[in-house]
Amino acid sequence: GAGWNFVLWGAYHGFFLVLERILTHSSVSKADSSPNLGEQPRIQPASAHTSPKLRELVRRTGGVCLTFVVVMVGWALFRIENLADCWTFIARLFSFNFIASPDTGFSSQFIVTLIVALAFAFVTLFPFGKKLQQWTFHTDYTSRQHLGVWIVACLLLFFCIGALTATDFSPFIYFRF
Amino acid sequence: MKTPKILCLVTLAALLLMMAQGQWHFIPMRSLKGASTMPDFPRPYKETVMDGSWQGQMDKYAKYNFGFREPAIRLYNQYIWSCYHKTLNQGVILGRNNYLYERYFVEDHYESRMYKYTSDPQELLDKFDLEARRLAQLQELLRERGTTLFVAILPGKDYVYPEFLPPQDTMRRTPGPRAYPEYLRLFEQYGVNYVDVLDWFLGIKDTVTYDLMPPLGTHWSNIAATYAFDSIMRYMQHLGGPAIRGVQLGKPYIDKDREPDNDLGLLLNLTVPPRQKSCQYVDVSLAPETDTAHLKPGLIVLGDSFFWNIHYNFPLDSLFRYTHYWFYFNTIYFDTEHDNTSQVDLRQALIDADYVMLSYCSGQLYDLGNNFIGKALVELCYSDEEIQAVRDSLCNNIRRDEHWRQYVQNKAASEGISLDQAILNDANYLINTRPEEYFEKLRIGRCPADNN
């Protein structure tokens, strides 16, 4: 059904998209403005001696972390209809309270799921991940590759359907069978 | 045609096949084990669509009705079991040494079973006391009519094998009373006939060479049930009821071809179910008949699923005139005339029977009788006309009370029945569960007819 939390999520997402466009446009504009010919070069501040690669790494890492936090908080808005519960959830995200939930705990299943989720979330930051992404989405497959990927996709689809259904299925013993 | 297009068409065909299988089930599939409530197709109404409840109901309906559901569930369950040694079935708890328990046995052991019924321990104790007093009264009324009533307390896995129970989870609650010790005390206090099979199991646990309750099963093992019922029949005759023909028990043997008692293992619904070692069995044969004129007694068994092992092992047709199994005082088995206890003339059935056995394991004692005891008292103490008068009065009260009527109306809508039927159901429920409130003479604990 409809809910105000979806409106809020849309506004939240839209806000950060606009902000990102503004900031990106500003930094692109600054990069385009170069000194006129004949002007004496200004005395560079000490930070200018920092390696460009390091600056780029810090910028990118900060950007990735900030984007991750913004998107995760946004998912809470999307998923939780009751706004009071939503604020409580978001507060808990930043509470740094590592006492495990009694229902799930830090079980092996939780840890495996977390590792897989982290891998999918951040793998494309690394060269290996970029290559994998390139091969997966931007390369023409051979017929054999099409077939192989299709089989894997079908198996994963079937597995996901099983996961969606099995978690709600708890039969009981009514009589001996 | 290019490979992607072909694969796309194959995918569409597979999805259509899945939908068709969900509708017509033309490819036979090994069914999933266990009982569950199948949701009906939810009709879309403006209110339910707008508030989102229809979507949730449709989601649930789709989960239960898509094709190839059975292998999909088994595959995911197998992944969870093999990789993490867990089960998604909330009703099955994995203990130590791969022992499986039904959830309510674990709750009973950790004294949190109470919370299914109430959070007030005294309320539960009062309920036990009331049921035991009613049972004593019913026992006496039936004894006067030539019917012997008794309770068979059957073993619960948490009592028999507590050493394999999992540790208590972190969400602890204040312990509540447990049904088994309370009812033992109350049965002694009020003089209720009972046979404590659980106590017998605990006494022989360290000496027997067979599993009293199988690791992957929830019931008593086949061989243990056989020995136990032999003793129960001796107890029945000790109570003074009609004689029951004797049986002879053979030597125990292992039967590898017979399906072992592994209902909990099957309830995991895995692609490869856990294996259980073969079980021991004992053959039952009839002892030589010494009295050919002897009239076999009639037996009513009311209780949980533990009786099935007795039914499978004993020649009950040769021992009893009839054995009517009132399963949780609801479905009836082995009665050619009735399928459900609502169809039975309860008064006449109880008077006709020679033995009435309430058969409950320790974990199910919380629901002792399943509302049978109150209803039986009413039927035995009042005539049909008197009961109908009380019922009519209750129905009128419901109709006149605005809030009550609205509550019943909502219930009728959710169950898809008429308002009149829902009112009648409510009235019957109150009569059966709180007879003392509506039948004054039951309060003084004596049926008026016995005063004559």
Side-chain angles (χ1 to χ4, degrees), chain B residues 302-331:
Chain B
L302 195 158
D304 58 27
S305 49
F306 277 59
F307 182 71
W308 284 105
N309 263 344
I310 298 171
H311 165 73
Y312 291 131
N313 293 334
F314 277 78
L316 295 173
D317 289 343
S318 302
L319 298 172
F320 298 98
R321 192 165 74 247
Y322 59 81
T323 309
H324 293 165
Y325 183 14
W326 293 356
F327 187 53
Y328 291 108
F329 193 48
N330 190 345
T331 312

PDB file of all heavy atoms in Angstrom, chain B residues 302-331:
ATOM      1  N   LEU B 302      -9.002 -40.428  23.714  1.00  0.00           N
ATOM      2  CA  LEU B 302      -9.066 -38.995  23.429  1.00  0.00           C
ATOM      3  C   LEU B 302      -7.697 -38.413  23.731  1.00  0.00           C
ATOM      4  O   LEU B 302      -7.221 -38.523  24.866  1.00  0.00           O
ATOM      5  CB  LEU B 302     -10.131 -38.339  24.326  1.00  0.00           C
ATOM      6  CG  LEU B 302     -10.599 -36.955  23.969  1.00  0.00           C
ATOM      7  CD1 LEU B 302     -11.964 -36.727  24.585  1.00  0.00           C
ATOM      8  CD2 LEU B 302      -9.655 -35.876  24.480  1.00  0.00           C
ATOM      9  N   GLY B 303      -7.065 -37.822  22.722  1.00  0.00           N
ATOM     10  CA  GLY B 303      -5.756 -37.251  23.031  1.00  0.00           C
ATOM     11  C   GLY B 303      -4.939 -36.922  21.814  1.00  0.00           C
ATOM     12  O   GLY B 303      -5.479 -36.635  20.739  1.00  0.00           O
ATOM     13  N   ASP B 304      -3.622 -36.969  22.029  1.00  0.00           N
ATOM     14  CA  ASP B 304      -2.678 -36.513  20.998  1.00  0.00           C
ATOM     15  C   ASP B 304      -2.267 -37.687  20.112  1.00  0.00           C
ATOM     16  O   ASP B 304      -2.860 -38.760  20.142  1.00  0.00           O
ATOM     17  CB  ASP B 304      -1.473 -35.827  21.660  1.00  0.00           C
ATOM     18  CG  ASP B 304      -0.747 -36.742  22.649  1.00  0.00           C
ATOM     19  OD1 ASP B 304      -0.808 -37.973  22.481  1.00  0.00           O
ATOM     20  OD2 ASP B 304      -0.135 -36.205  23.599  1.00  0.00           O
ATOM     21  N   SER B 305      -1.203 -37.437  19.336  1.00  0.00           N
ATOM     22  CA  SER B 305      -0.841 -38.372  18.280  1.00  0.00           C
ATOM     23  C   SER B 305      -0.058 -39.590  18.760  1.00  0.00           C
ATOM     24  O   SER B 305       0.310 -40.430  17.948  1.00  0.00           O
ATOM     25  CB  SER B 305      -0.028 -37.632  17.208  1.00  0.00           C
ATOM     26  OG  SER B 305       1.019 -36.881  17.807  1.00  0.00           O
ATOM     27  N   PHE B 306       0.207 -39.711  20.071  1.00  0.00           N
ATOM     28  CA  PHE B 306       0.973 -40.851  20.546  1.00  0.00           C
ATOM     29  C   PHE B 306       0.231 -42.167  20.368  1.00  0.00           C
ATOM     30  O   PHE B 306       0.848 -43.223  20.349  1.00  0.00           O
ATOM     31  CB  PHE B 306       1.348 -40.671  22.023  1.00  0.00           C
ATOM     32  CG  PHE B 306       2.583 -39.835  22.222  1.00  0.00           C
ATOM     33  CD1 PHE B 306       2.656 -38.539  21.754  1.00  0.00           C
ATOM     34  CD2 PHE B 306       3.672 -40.358  22.887  1.00  0.00           C
ATOM     35  CE1 PHE B 306       3.801 -37.773  21.938  1.00  0.00           C
ATOM     36  CE2 PHE B 306       4.825 -39.602  23.087  1.00  0.00           C
ATOM     37  CZ  PHE B 306       4.890 -38.311  22.607  1.00  0.00           C
ATOM     38  N   PHE B 307      -1.093 -42.105  20.265  1.00  0.00           N
ATOM     39  CA  PHE B 307      -1.865 -43.344  20.169  1.00  0.00           C
ATOM     40  C   PHE B 307      -1.627 -44.062  18.855  1.00  0.00           C
ATOM     41  O   PHE B 307      -1.876 -45.264  18.735  1.00  0.00           O
ATOM     42  CB  PHE B 307      -3.357 -43.051  20.349  1.00  0.00           C
ATOM     43  CG  PHE B 307      -4.220 -44.277  20.319  1.00  0.00           C
ATOM     44  CD1 PHE B 307      -4.193 -45.190  21.366  1.00  0.00           C
ATOM     45  CD2 PHE B 307      -5.038 -44.549  19.233  1.00  0.00           C
ATOM     46  CE1 PHE B 307      -4.972 -46.338  21.335  1.00  0.00           C
ATOM     47  CE2 PHE B 307      -5.822 -45.702  19.196  1.00  0.00           C
ATOM     48  CZ  PHE B 307      -5.791 -46.593  20.249  1.00  0.00           C
ATOM     49  N   TRP B 308      -1.149 -43.349  17.832  1.00  0.00           N
ATOM     50  CA  TRP B 308      -0.977 -43.984  16.522  1.00  0.00           C
ATOM     51  C   TRP B 308      -0.049 -45.192  16.599  1.00  0.00           C
ATOM     52  O   TRP B 308      -0.271 -46.205  15.942  1.00  0.00           O
ATOM     53  CB  TRP B 308      -0.438 -42.972  15.500  1.00  0.00           C
ATOM     54  CG  TRP B 308      -1.491 -42.034  15.027  1.00  0.00           C
ATOM     55  CD1 TRP B 308      -1.647 -40.726  15.381  1.00  0.00           C
ATOM     56  CD2 TRP B 308      -2.560 -42.338  14.120  1.00  0.00           C
ATOM     57  NE1 TRP B 308      -2.741 -40.207  14.754  1.00  0.00           N
ATOM     58  CE2 TRP B 308      -3.318 -41.149  13.977  1.00  0.00           C
ATOM     59  CE3 TRP B 308      -2.957 -43.471  13.421  1.00  0.00           C
ATOM     60  CZ2 TRP B 308      -4.445 -41.083  13.164  1.00  0.00           C
ATOM     61  CZ3 TRP B 308      -4.076 -43.404  12.602  1.00  0.00           C
ATOM     62  CH2 TRP B 308      -4.805 -42.224  12.491  1.00  0.00           C
ATOM     63  N   ASN B 309       1.031 -45.086  17.398  1.00  0.00           N
ATOM     64  CA  ASN B 309       1.943 -46.229  17.499  1.00  0.00           C
ATOM     65  C   ASN B 309       1.268 -47.450  18.117  1.00  0.00           C
ATOM     66  O   ASN B 309       1.631 -48.589  17.835  1.00  0.00           O
ATOM     67  CB  ASN B 309       3.189 -45.847  18.314  1.00  0.00           C
ATOM     68  CG  ASN B 309       4.341 -45.464  17.409  1.00  0.00           C
ATOM     69  OD1 ASN B 309       4.330 -45.755  16.214  1.00  0.00           O
ATOM     70  ND2 ASN B 309       5.346 -44.809  17.951  1.00  0.00           N
ATOM     71  N   ILE B 310       0.288 -47.215  18.956  1.00  0.00           N
ATOM     72  CA  ILE B 310      -0.462 -48.334  19.534  1.00  0.00           C
ATOM     73  C   ILE B 310      -1.370 -48.914  18.455  1.00  0.00           C
ATOM     74  O   ILE B 310      -1.485 -50.135  18.296  1.00  0.00           O
ATOM     75  CB  ILE B 310      -1.288 -47.861  20.743  1.00  0.00           C
ATOM     76  CG1 ILE B 310      -0.365 -47.341  21.833  1.00  0.00           C
ATOM     77  CG2 ILE B 310      -2.178 -48.967  21.264  1.00  0.00           C
ATOM     78  CD1 ILE B 310      -1.065 -46.656  22.977  1.00  0.00           C
ATOM     79  N   HIS B 311      -2.018 -48.067  17.724  1.00  0.00           N
ATOM     80  CA  HIS B 311      -2.917 -48.516  16.665  1.00  0.00           C
ATOM     81  C   HIS B 311      -2.182 -49.372  15.637  1.00  0.00           C
ATOM     82  O   HIS B 311      -2.712 -50.374  15.158  1.00  0.00           O
ATOM     83  CB  HIS B 311      -3.543 -47.300  15.983  1.00  0.00           C
ATOM     84  CG  HIS B 311      -4.181 -47.608  14.678  1.00  0.00           C
ATOM     85  ND1 HIS B 311      -5.381 -48.296  14.569  1.00  0.00           N
ATOM     86  CD2 HIS B 311      -3.791 -47.354  13.404  1.00  0.00           C
ATOM     87  CE1 HIS B 311      -5.693 -48.449  13.297  1.00  0.00           C
ATOM     88  NE2 HIS B 311      -4.745 -47.879  12.569  1.00  0.00           N
ATOM     89  N   TYR B 312      -0.943 -48.978  15.311  1.00  0.00           N
ATOM     90  CA  TYR B 312      -0.217 -49.718  14.279  1.00  0.00           C
ATOM     91  C   TYR B 312       0.278 -51.070  14.783  1.00  0.00           C
ATOM     92  O   TYR B 312       0.550 -51.959  13.987  1.00  0.00           O
ATOM     93  CB  TYR B 312       0.997 -48.901  13.791  1.00  0.00           C
ATOM     94  CG  TYR B 312       0.632 -47.674  12.997  1.00  0.00           C
ATOM     95  CD1 TYR B 312       1.193 -46.435  13.283  1.00  0.00           C
ATOM     96  CD2 TYR B 312      -0.287 -47.740  11.952  1.00  0.00           C
ATOM     97  CE1 TYR B 312       0.858 -45.309  12.560  1.00  0.00           C
ATOM     98  CE2 TYR B 312      -0.633 -46.616  11.228  1.00  0.00           C
ATOM     99  CZ  TYR B 312      -0.055 -45.404  11.539  1.00  0.00           C
ATOM    100  OH  TYR B 312      -0.392 -44.289  10.825  1.00  0.00           O
ATOM    101  N   ASN B 313       0.456 -51.217  16.089  1.00  0.00           N
ATOM    102  CA  ASN B 313       1.116 -52.419  16.604  1.00  0.00           C
ATOM    103  C   ASN B 313       0.178 -53.438  17.219  1.00  0.00           C
ATOM    104  O   ASN B 313       0.523 -54.600  17.324  1.00  0.00           O
ATOM    105  CB  ASN B 313       2.164 -52.032  17.660  1.00  0.00           C
ATOM    106  CG  ASN B 313       3.310 -51.269  17.034  1.00  0.00           C
ATOM    107  OD1 ASN B 313       3.591 -51.433  15.851  1.00  0.00           O
ATOM    108  ND2 ASN B 313       3.963 -50.445  17.815  1.00  0.00           N
ATOM    109  N   PHE B 314      -0.987 -52.996  17.670  1.00  0.00           N
ATOM    110  CA  PHE B 314      -1.849 -53.907  18.417  1.00  0.00           C
ATOM    111  C   PHE B 314      -3.058 -54.304  17.565  1.00  0.00           C
ATOM    112  O   PHE B 314      -3.605 -53.479  16.829  1.00  0.00           O
ATOM    113  CB  PHE B 314      -2.340 -53.253  19.714  1.00  0.00           C
ATOM    114  CG  PHE B 314      -1.361 -53.335  20.837  1.00  0.00           C
ATOM    115  CD1 PHE B 314      -0.279 -52.484  20.891  1.00  0.00           C
ATOM    116  CD2 PHE B 314      -1.509 -54.306  21.829  1.00  0.00           C
ATOM    117  CE1 PHE B 314       0.635 -52.577  21.926  1.00  0.00           C
ATOM    118  CE2 PHE B 314      -0.601 -54.394  22.858  1.00  0.00           C
ATOM    119  CZ  PHE B 314       0.475 -53.526  22.909  1.00  0.00           C
ATOM    120  N   PRO B 315      -3.495 -55.569  17.707  1.00  0.00           N
ATOM    121  CA  PRO B 315      -4.724 -56.004  17.015  1.00  0.00           C
ATOM    122  C   PRO B 315      -5.947 -55.510  17.789  1.00  0.00           C
ATOM    123  O   PRO B 315      -6.667 -56.287  18.438  1.00  0.00           O
ATOM    124  CB  PRO B 315      -4.618 -57.531  17.039  1.00  0.00           C
ATOM    125  CG  PRO B 315      -3.827 -57.831  18.270  1.00  0.00           C
ATOM    126  CD  PRO B 315      -2.892 -56.687  18.488  1.00  0.00           C
ATOM    127  N   LEU B 316      -6.170 -54.205  17.730  1.00  0.00           N
ATOM    128  CA  LEU B 316      -7.186 -53.589  18.578  1.00  0.00           C
ATOM    129  C   LEU B 316      -8.588 -54.133  18.280  1.00  0.00           C
ATOM    130  O   LEU B 316      -9.421 -54.230  19.184  1.00  0.00           O
ATOM    131  CB  LEU B 316      -7.159 -52.060  18.395  1.00  0.00           C
ATOM    132  CG  LEU B 316      -5.869 -51.382  18.871  1.00  0.00           C
ATOM    133  CD1 LEU B 316      -5.875 -49.900  18.497  1.00  0.00           C
ATOM    134  CD2 LEU B 316      -5.686 -51.537  20.369  1.00  0.00           C
ATOM    135  N   ASP B 317      -8.852 -54.486  17.029  1.00  0.00           N
ATOM    136  CA  ASP B 317     -10.171 -55.036  16.683  1.00  0.00           C
ATOM    137  C   ASP B 317     -10.438 -56.346  17.405  1.00  0.00           C
ATOM    138  O   ASP B 317     -11.598 -56.711  17.641  1.00  0.00           O
ATOM    139  CB  ASP B 317     -10.273 -55.273  15.172  1.00  0.00           C
ATOM    140  CG  ASP B 317     -10.347 -53.957  14.408  1.00  0.00           C
ATOM    141  OD1 ASP B 317     -10.643 -52.931  15.055  1.00  0.00           O
ATOM    142  OD2 ASP B 317     -10.094 -53.960  13.190  1.00  0.00           O
ATOM    143  N   SER B 318      -9.373 -57.067  17.746  1.00  0.00           N
ATOM    144  CA  SER B 318      -9.534 -58.335  18.451  1.00  0.00           C
ATOM    145  C   SER B 318      -9.599 -58.136  19.958  1.00  0.00           C
ATOM    146  O   SER B 318     -10.056 -59.019  20.687  1.00  0.00           O
ATOM    147  CB  SER B 318      -8.368 -59.288  18.128  1.00  0.00           C
ATOM    148  OG  SER B 318      -8.292 -59.521  16.748  1.00  0.00           O
ATOM    149  N   LEU B 319      -9.125 -57.001  20.426  1.00  0.00           N
ATOM    150  CA  LEU B 319      -9.099 -56.748  21.858  1.00  0.00           C
ATOM    151  C   LEU B 319     -10.320 -55.959  22.327  1.00  0.00           C
ATOM    152  O   LEU B 319     -10.776 -56.120  23.459  1.00  0.00           O
ATOM    153  CB  LEU B 319      -7.830 -55.963  22.228  1.00  0.00           C
ATOM    154  CG  LEU B 319      -6.505 -56.667  21.931  1.00  0.00           C
ATOM    155  CD1 LEU B 319      -5.334 -55.717  22.165  1.00  0.00           C
ATOM    156  CD2 LEU B 319      -6.343 -57.913  22.794  1.00  0.00           C
ATOM    157  N   PHE B 320     -10.807 -55.071  21.464  1.00  0.00           N
ATOM    158  CA  PHE B 320     -11.905 -54.186  21.845  1.00  0.00           C
ATOM    159  C   PHE B 320     -13.036 -54.303  20.832  1.00  0.00           C
ATOM    160  O   PHE B 320     -12.808 -54.566  19.651  1.00  0.00           O
ATOM    161  CB  PHE B 320     -11.418 -52.727  21.906  1.00  0.00           C
ATOM    162  CG  PHE B 320     -10.338 -52.501  22.933  1.00  0.00           C
ATOM    163  CD1 PHE B 320      -9.007 -52.485  22.556  1.00  0.00           C
ATOM    164  CD2 PHE B 320     -10.655 -52.323  24.270  1.00  0.00           C
ATOM    165  CE1 PHE B 320      -8.000 -52.288  23.496  1.00  0.00           C
ATOM    166  CE2 PHE B 320      -9.665 -52.134  25.210  1.00  0.00           C
ATOM    167  CZ  PHE B 320      -8.329 -52.107  24.830  1.00  0.00           C
ATOM    168  N   ARG B 321     -14.244 -54.083  21.341  1.00  0.00           N
ATOM    169  CA  ARG B 321     -15.419 -54.083  20.470  1.00  0.00           C
ATOM    170  C   ARG B 321     -15.260 -52.988  19.429  1.00  0.00           C
ATOM    171  O   ARG B 321     -15.585 -53.160  18.259  1.00  0.00           O
ATOM    172  CB  ARG B 321     -16.668 -53.855  21.340  1.00  0.00           C
ATOM    173  CG  ARG B 321     -17.978 -54.104  20.639  1.00  0.00           C
ATOM    174  CD  ARG B 321     -19.120 -54.209  21.660  1.00  0.00           C
ATOM    175  NE  ARG B 321     -19.493 -52.923  22.218  1.00  0.00           N
ATOM    176  CZ  ARG B 321     -19.314 -52.548  23.484  1.00  0.00           C
ATOM    177  NH1 ARG B 321     -18.707 -53.354  24.338  1.00  0.00           N
ATOM    178  NH2 ARG B 321     -19.712 -51.369  23.910  1.00  0.00           N
ATOM    179  N   TYR B 322     -14.806 -51.852  19.868  1.00  0.00           N
ATOM    180  CA  TYR B 322     -14.437 -50.753  18.978  1.00  0.00           C
ATOM    181  C   TYR B 322     -13.386 -49.906  19.686  1.00  0.00           C
ATOM    182  O   TYR B 322     -13.287 -49.922  20.907  1.00  0.00           O
ATOM    183  CB  TYR B 322     -15.649 -49.884  18.596  1.00  0.00           C
ATOM    184  CG  TYR B 322     -16.365 -49.241  19.755  1.00  0.00           C
ATOM    185  CD1 TYR B 322     -15.883 -48.065  20.350  1.00  0.00           C
ATOM    186  CD2 TYR B 322     -17.531 -49.809  20.281  1.00  0.00           C
ATOM    187  CE1 TYR B 322     -16.527 -47.496  21.430  1.00  0.00           C
ATOM    188  CE2 TYR B 322     -18.178 -49.233  21.359  1.00  0.00           C
ATOM    189  CZ  TYR B 322     -17.684 -48.077  21.928  1.00  0.00           C
ATOM    190  OH  TYR B 322     -18.333 -47.499  23.004  1.00  0.00           O
ATOM    191  N   THR B 323     -12.601 -49.205  18.894  1.00  0.00           N
ATOM    192  CA  THR B 323     -11.643 -48.231  19.429  1.00  0.00           C
ATOM    193  C   THR B 323     -11.843 -46.949  18.653  1.00  0.00           C
ATOM    194  O   THR B 323     -11.417 -46.823  17.505  1.00  0.00           O
ATOM    195  CB  THR B 323     -10.191 -48.716  19.244  1.00  0.00           C
ATOM    196  OG1 THR B 323     -10.050 -50.036  19.740  1.00  0.00           O
ATOM    197  CG2 THR B 323      -9.224 -47.791  19.979  1.00  0.00           C
ATOM    198  N   HIS B 324     -12.564 -46.028  19.241  1.00  0.00           N
ATOM    199  CA  HIS B 324     -12.800 -44.743  18.588  1.00  0.00           C
ATOM    200  C   HIS B 324     -11.737 -43.766  19.075  1.00  0.00           C
ATOM    201  O   HIS B 324     -11.602 -43.538  20.272  1.00  0.00           O
ATOM    202  CB  HIS B 324     -14.204 -44.211  18.909  1.00  0.00           C
ATOM    203  CG  HIS B 324     -15.276 -45.058  18.304  1.00  0.00           C
ATOM    204  ND1 HIS B 324     -16.592 -44.979  18.675  1.00  0.00           N
ATOM    205  CD2 HIS B 324     -15.228 -45.994  17.329  1.00  0.00           C
ATOM    206  CE1 HIS B 324     -17.311 -45.841  17.955  1.00  0.00           C
ATOM    207  NE2 HIS B 324     -16.503 -46.468  17.135  1.00  0.00           N
ATOM    208  N   TYR B 325     -11.026 -43.204  18.122  1.00  0.00           N
ATOM    209  CA  TYR B 325      -9.893 -42.322  18.444  1.00  0.00           C
ATOM    210  C   TYR B 325     -10.342 -40.903  18.190  1.00  0.00           C
ATOM    211  O   TYR B 325     -10.517 -40.482  17.050  1.00  0.00           O
ATOM    212  CB  TYR B 325      -8.704 -42.719  17.570  1.00  0.00           C
ATOM    213  CG  TYR B 325      -7.415 -41.988  17.776  1.00  0.00           C
ATOM    214  CD1 TYR B 325      -7.168 -41.198  18.886  1.00  0.00           C
ATOM    215  CD2 TYR B 325      -6.395 -42.108  16.835  1.00  0.00           C
ATOM    216  CE1 TYR B 325      -5.963 -40.546  19.049  1.00  0.00           C
ATOM    217  CE2 TYR B 325      -5.189 -41.459  16.993  1.00  0.00           C
ATOM    218  CZ  TYR B 325      -4.973 -40.682  18.103  1.00  0.00           C
ATOM    219  OH  TYR B 325      -3.774 -40.041  18.265  1.00  0.00           O
ATOM    220  N   TRP B 326     -10.558 -40.152  19.271  1.00  0.00           N
ATOM    221  CA  TRP B 326     -10.981 -38.755  19.159  1.00  0.00           C
ATOM    222  C   TRP B 326      -9.725 -37.902  19.233  1.00  0.00           C
ATOM    223  O   TRP B 326      -9.270 -37.525  20.309  1.00  0.00           O
ATOM    224  CB  TRP B 326     -11.950 -38.402  20.286  1.00  0.00           C
ATOM    225  CG  TRP B 326     -13.260 -39.123  20.189  1.00  0.00           C
ATOM    226  CD1 TRP B 326     -13.671 -39.964  19.198  1.00  0.00           C
ATOM    227  CD2 TRP B 326     -14.333 -39.067  21.128  1.00  0.00           C
ATOM    228  NE1 TRP B 326     -14.938 -40.427  19.460  1.00  0.00           N
ATOM    229  CE2 TRP B 326     -15.361 -39.896  20.630  1.00  0.00           C
ATOM    230  CE3 TRP B 326     -14.518 -38.400  22.337  1.00  0.00           C
ATOM    231  CZ2 TRP B 326     -16.563 -40.058  21.305  1.00  0.00           C
ATOM    232  CZ3 TRP B 326     -15.700 -38.560  23.012  1.00  0.00           C
ATOM    233  CH2 TRP B 326     -16.722 -39.389  22.492  1.00  0.00           C
ATOM    234  N   PHE B 327      -9.211 -37.593  18.076  1.00  0.00           N
ATOM    235  CA  PHE B 327      -7.910 -36.934  17.953  1.00  0.00           C
ATOM    236  C   PHE B 327      -8.049 -35.473  18.354  1.00  0.00           C
ATOM    237  O   PHE B 327      -8.718 -34.705  17.659  1.00  0.00           O
ATOM    238  CB  PHE B 327      -7.432 -37.102  16.509  1.00  0.00           C
ATOM    239  CG  PHE B 327      -6.046 -36.646  16.234  1.00  0.00           C
ATOM    240  CD1 PHE B 327      -4.982 -37.097  16.989  1.00  0.00           C
ATOM    241  CD2 PHE B 327      -5.784 -35.787  15.189  1.00  0.00           C
ATOM    242  CE1 PHE B 327      -3.698 -36.703  16.713  1.00  0.00           C
ATOM    243  CE2 PHE B 327      -4.498 -35.386  14.906  1.00  0.00           C
ATOM    244  CZ  PHE B 327      -3.457 -35.836  15.665  1.00  0.00           C
ATOM    245  N   TYR B 328      -7.441 -35.098  19.487  1.00  0.00           N
ATOM    246  CA  TYR B 328      -7.552 -33.741  20.042  1.00  0.00           C
ATOM    247  C   TYR B 328      -9.010 -33.307  20.188  1.00  0.00           C
ATOM    248  O   TYR B 328      -9.331 -32.112  20.062  1.00  0.00           O
ATOM    249  CB  TYR B 328      -6.804 -32.727  19.180  1.00  0.00           C
ATOM    250  CG  TYR B 328      -5.293 -32.883  19.208  1.00  0.00           C
ATOM    251  CD1 TYR B 328      -4.601 -33.369  18.108  1.00  0.00           C
ATOM    252  CD2 TYR B 328      -4.566 -32.544  20.351  1.00  0.00           C
ATOM    253  CE1 TYR B 328      -3.217 -33.525  18.138  1.00  0.00           C
ATOM    254  CE2 TYR B 328      -3.180 -32.694  20.390  1.00  0.00           C
ATOM    255  CZ  TYR B 328      -2.522 -33.181  19.278  1.00  0.00           C
ATOM    256  OH  TYR B 328      -1.156 -33.335  19.310  1.00  0.00           O
ATOM    257  N   PHE B 329      -9.892 -34.257  20.436  1.00  0.00           N
ATOM    258  CA  PHE B 329     -11.334 -34.011  20.569  1.00  0.00           C
ATOM    259  C   PHE B 329     -11.832 -33.227  19.350  1.00  0.00           C
ATOM    260  O   PHE B 329     -12.630 -32.312  19.446  1.00  0.00           O
ATOM    261  CB  PHE B 329     -11.640 -33.245  21.872  1.00  0.00           C
ATOM    262  CG  PHE B 329     -13.113 -33.237  22.222  1.00  0.00           C
ATOM    263  CD1 PHE B 329     -13.852 -34.407  22.199  1.00  0.00           C
ATOM    264  CD2 PHE B 329     -13.764 -32.055  22.576  1.00  0.00           C
ATOM    265  CE1 PHE B 329     -15.201 -34.420  22.514  1.00  0.00           C
ATOM    266  CE2 PHE B 329     -15.107 -32.053  22.897  1.00  0.00           C
ATOM    267  CZ  PHE B 329     -15.830 -33.238  22.867  1.00  0.00           C
ATOM    268  N   ASN B 330     -11.365 -33.651  18.195  1.00  0.00           N
ATOM    269  CA  ASN B 330     -11.756 -32.969  16.967  1.00  0.00           C
ATOM    270  C   ASN B 330     -12.051 -34.028  15.899  1.00  0.00           C
ATOM    271  O   ASN B 330     -13.193 -34.507  15.799  1.00  0.00           O
ATOM    272  CB  ASN B 330     -10.646 -32.014  16.531  1.00  0.00           C
ATOM    273  CG  ASN B 330     -11.073 -31.110  15.412  1.00  0.00           C
ATOM    274  OD1 ASN B 330     -12.097 -31.337  14.749  1.00  0.00           O
ATOM    275  ND2 ASN B 330     -10.326 -30.058  15.165  1.00  0.00           N
ATOM    276  N   THR B 331     -11.044 -34.423  15.147  1.00  0.00           N
ATOM    277  CA  THR B 331     -11.244 -35.456  14.133  1.00  0.00           C
ATOM    278  C   THR B 331     -11.387 -36.821  14.808  1.00  0.00           C
ATOM    279  O   THR B 331     -10.720 -37.089  15.804  1.00  0.00           O
ATOM    280  CB  THR B 331     -10.025 -35.491  13.186  1.00  0.00           C
ATOM    281  OG1 THR B 331      -9.720 -34.171  12.780  1.00  0.00           O
ATOM    282  CG2 THR B 331     -10.306 -36.352  11.971  1.00  0.00           C
TER     283      THR B 331
END
